[in-house]
Amino acid sequence: MKAAWLISCVPLAACDPVPTAEQFIPDYRGVETTLLDDDLVQFNVSMTNALSAQDVSNYAECAAAGYTLIRGWGFARHLRTNVDEEAGVWTADAVYTISPALPRGIKTIDAEVVSASCAEKGIPTV
């Protein structure tokens, strides 16, 4: 009985596409930055080959850290991130406040530390 089950499953297994290595290499497709106020910034990022929504959220955080440093400031505070996926393209719309001093709140980032971590992981900033 067991052998018959194995034989009947073989054709089904052959129909499933086998993932290739390229499908696991993130393709970062760019960042659009919009200054909403002096210290309020929106980041729209897109990528393919994300393994989860967290990957595209990390990309948005890296963009925020890089932008904060470009502005000459050291810290950012995460306000929100909306993530979507359509036809294999992941997008995130994230909003951060940026500041020269550590802001109040629990979702703060040290832009220098986060940028260094992003570089180690191969995630672009801005």
Side-chain angles (χ1 to χ4, degrees):
M1 189 71 162
K2 222 176 199 182
W5 181 81
L6 288 175
I7 292 170
S8 66
C9 290
V10 172
L12 292 176
C15 295
D16 291 338
V18 176
T20 62
E22 292 83 27
Q23 293 172 308
F24 297 102
I25 300 171
D27 179 21
Y28 301 101
R29 296 193 165 189
V31 178
E32 289 182 25
T33 305
T34 306
L35 187 61
L36 302 174
D37 202 353
D38 287 340
D39 65 347
L40 188 65
V41 187
Q42 179 178 7
F43 302 92
N44 291 312
V45 300
S46 65
M47 67 183 293
T48 58
N49 301 337
L51 299 178
S52 71
Q54 188 61 51
D55 288 347
V56 73
S57 292
N58 291 344
Y59 183 25
E61 182 178 73
C62 290
Y67 181 85
T68 300
L69 292 175
I70 287 170
R71 290 281 306 267
W73 291 359
F75 300 92
R77 181 169 58 99
H78 177 255
L79 299 178
R80 68 148 173 84
T81 300
N82 297 316
V83 175
D84 191 33
E85 185 272 330
E86 186 175 322
V89 178
W90 290 80
T91 58
D93 162 18
V95 176
Y96 285 80
T97 60
I98 59 172
S99 61
L102 184 63
R104 290 182 156 180
I106 58 172
K107 293 185 176 183
T108 60
I109 63 170
D110 180 322
E112 197 170 300
V113 171
V114 171
S115 285
S117 176
C118 295
E120 287 177 9
K121 295 174 184 172
I123 304 172
T125 53
V126 190

